[in-house]
PDB file of all heavy atoms in Angstrom:
ATOM      1  N   SER J 214      24.346  79.217  49.750  1.00 98.00           N
ATOM      2  CA  SER J 214      24.077  78.900  48.338  1.00 98.00           C
ATOM      3  C   SER J 214      25.408  78.854  47.593  1.00 98.00           C
ATOM      4  O   SER J 214      26.467  79.158  48.173  1.00 98.00           O
ATOM      5  CB  SER J 214      23.202  79.997  47.723  1.00 98.00           C
ATOM      6  OG  SER J 214      23.949  81.207  47.676  1.00 98.00           O
ATOM      7  N   SER J 215      25.333  78.506  46.306  1.00 98.00           N
ATOM      8  CA  SER J 215      26.588  78.477  45.532  1.00 98.00           C
ATOM      9  C   SER J 215      27.162  79.886  45.385  1.00 98.00           C
ATOM     10  O   SER J 215      28.350  80.050  45.152  1.00 98.00           O
ATOM     11  CB  SER J 215      26.359  77.846  44.154  1.00 98.00           C
ATOM     12  OG  SER J 215      25.345  78.541  43.482  1.00 98.00           O
ATOM     13  N   ASP J 216      26.314  80.910  45.532  1.00 98.00           N
ATOM     14  CA  ASP J 216      26.804  82.293  45.404  1.00 98.00           C
ATOM     15  C   ASP J 216      27.600  82.747  46.627  1.00 98.00           C
ATOM     16  O   ASP J 216      28.457  83.615  46.517  1.00 98.00           O
ATOM     17  CB  ASP J 216      25.630  83.269  45.216  1.00 98.00           C
ATOM     18  CG  ASP J 216      24.959  83.078  43.871  1.00 98.00           C
ATOM     19  OD1 ASP J 216      25.636  82.569  42.949  1.00 98.00           O
ATOM     20  OD2 ASP J 216      23.769  83.412  43.756  1.00 98.00           O
ATOM     21  N   ASN J 217      27.238  82.211  47.803  1.00 98.00           N
ATOM     22  CA  ASN J 217      27.896  82.757  49.000  1.00 98.00           C
ATOM     23  C   ASN J 217      28.781  81.749  49.744  1.00 98.00           C
ATOM     24  O   ASN J 217      29.508  82.132  50.668  1.00 98.00           O
ATOM     25  CB  ASN J 217      26.857  83.358  49.959  1.00 98.00           C
ATOM     26  CG  ASN J 217      25.861  82.317  50.480  1.00 98.00           C
ATOM     27  OD1 ASN J 217      26.177  81.145  50.602  1.00 98.00           O
ATOM     28  ND2 ASN J 217      24.653  82.763  50.805  1.00 98.00           N
ATOM     29  N   ALA J 218      28.732  80.452  49.379  1.00 98.00           N
ATOM     30  CA  ALA J 218      29.458  79.435  50.168  1.00 98.00           C
ATOM     31  C   ALA J 218      30.940  79.779  50.315  1.00 98.00           C
ATOM     32  O   ALA J 218      31.507  79.717  51.420  1.00 98.00           O
ATOM     33  CB  ALA J 218      29.294  78.061  49.525  1.00 98.00           C
ATOM     34  N   ALA J 219      31.575  80.172  49.221  1.00 98.00           N
ATOM     35  CA  ALA J 219      33.024  80.432  49.268  1.00 98.00           C
ATOM     36  C   ALA J 219      33.341  81.609  50.180  1.00 98.00           C
ATOM     37  O   ALA J 219      34.381  81.619  50.857  1.00 98.00           O
ATOM     38  CB  ALA J 219      33.556  80.689  47.863  1.00 98.00           C
ATOM     39  N   SER J 220      32.427  82.594  50.257  1.00 98.00           N
ATOM     40  CA  SER J 220      32.725  83.765  51.088  1.00 98.00           C
ATOM     41  C   SER J 220      32.771  83.389  52.568  1.00 98.00           C
ATOM     42  O   SER J 220      33.459  84.041  53.357  1.00 98.00           O
ATOM     43  CB  SER J 220      31.717  84.891  50.839  1.00 98.00           C
ATOM     44  OG  SER J 220      30.435  84.478  51.255  1.00 98.00           O
ATOM     45  N   PHE J 221      32.050  82.335  52.965  1.00 98.00           N
ATOM     46  CA  PHE J 221      32.148  81.874  54.356  1.00 98.00           C
ATOM     47  C   PHE J 221      33.440  81.098  54.580  1.00 98.00           C
ATOM     48  O   PHE J 221      34.165  81.320  55.538  1.00 98.00           O
ATOM     49  CB  PHE J 221      30.930  81.014  54.718  1.00 98.00           C
ATOM     50  CG  PHE J 221      29.666  81.827  54.844  1.00 98.00           C
ATOM     51  CD1 PHE J 221      28.736  81.848  53.820  1.00 98.00           C
ATOM     52  CD2 PHE J 221      29.428  82.597  55.973  1.00 98.00           C
ATOM     53  CE1 PHE J 221      27.585  82.625  53.919  1.00 98.00           C
ATOM     54  CE2 PHE J 221      28.294  83.369  56.092  1.00 98.00           C
ATOM     55  CZ  PHE J 221      27.363  83.390  55.059  1.00 98.00           C
ATOM     56  N   VAL J 222      33.710  80.200  53.654  1.00 98.00           N
ATOM     57  CA  VAL J 222      34.860  79.299  53.849  1.00 98.00           C
ATOM     58  C   VAL J 222      36.186  80.061  53.734  1.00 98.00           C
ATOM     59  O   VAL J 222      37.198  79.642  54.286  1.00 98.00           O
ATOM     60  CB  VAL J 222      34.728  78.114  52.868  1.00 98.00           C
ATOM     61  CG1 VAL J 222      35.971  77.268  52.840  1.00 98.00           C
ATOM     62  CG2 VAL J 222      33.526  77.259  53.278  1.00 98.00           C
ATOM     63  N   ARG J 223      36.156  81.213  53.047  1.00 97.00           N
ATOM     64  CA  ARG J 223      37.373  82.045  52.941  1.00 97.00           C
ATOM     65  C   ARG J 223      37.742  82.715  54.260  1.00 97.00           C
ATOM     66  O   ARG J 223      38.860  83.160  54.450  1.00 97.00           O
ATOM     67  CB  ARG J 223      37.161  83.138  51.885  1.00 97.00           C
ATOM     68  CG  ARG J 223      37.658  82.762  50.505  1.00 97.00           C
ATOM     69  CD  ARG J 223      37.866  83.998  49.640  1.00 97.00           C
ATOM     70  NE  ARG J 223      36.659  84.799  49.490  1.00 97.00           N
ATOM     71  CZ  ARG J 223      35.774  84.640  48.507  1.00 97.00           C
ATOM     72  NH1 ARG J 223      35.969  83.723  47.594  1.00 97.00           N
ATOM     73  NH2 ARG J 223      34.713  85.401  48.431  1.00 97.00           N
ATOM     74  N   GLN J 224      36.766  82.820  55.177  1.00 97.00           N
ATOM     75  CA  GLN J 224      37.044  83.444  56.477  1.00 97.00           C
ATOM     76  C   GLN J 224      38.025  82.551  57.244  1.00 97.00           C
ATOM     77  O   GLN J 224      38.073  81.346  57.022  1.00 97.00           O
ATOM     78  CB  GLN J 224      35.751  83.580  57.278  1.00 97.00           C
ATOM     79  CG  GLN J 224      34.655  84.352  56.577  1.00 97.00           C
ATOM     80  CD  GLN J 224      34.991  85.831  56.426  1.00 97.00           C
ATOM     81  OE1 GLN J 224      35.513  86.450  57.330  1.00 97.00           O
ATOM     82  NE2 GLN J 224      34.691  86.369  55.252  1.00 97.00           N
ATOM     83  N   GLY J 225      38.715  83.129  58.200  1.00 90.00           N
ATOM     84  CA  GLY J 225      39.778  82.377  58.869  1.00 90.00           C
ATOM     85  C   GLY J 225      39.322  81.165  59.670  1.00 90.00           C
ATOM     86  O   GLY J 225      40.015  80.166  59.731  1.00 90.00           O
TER      87      GLY J 225
END
Side-chain angles (χ1 to χ4, degrees):
S214 67
S215 56
D216 291 336
N217 62 29
S220 65
F221 289 101
V222 171
R223 266 199 302 269
Q224 304 292 319

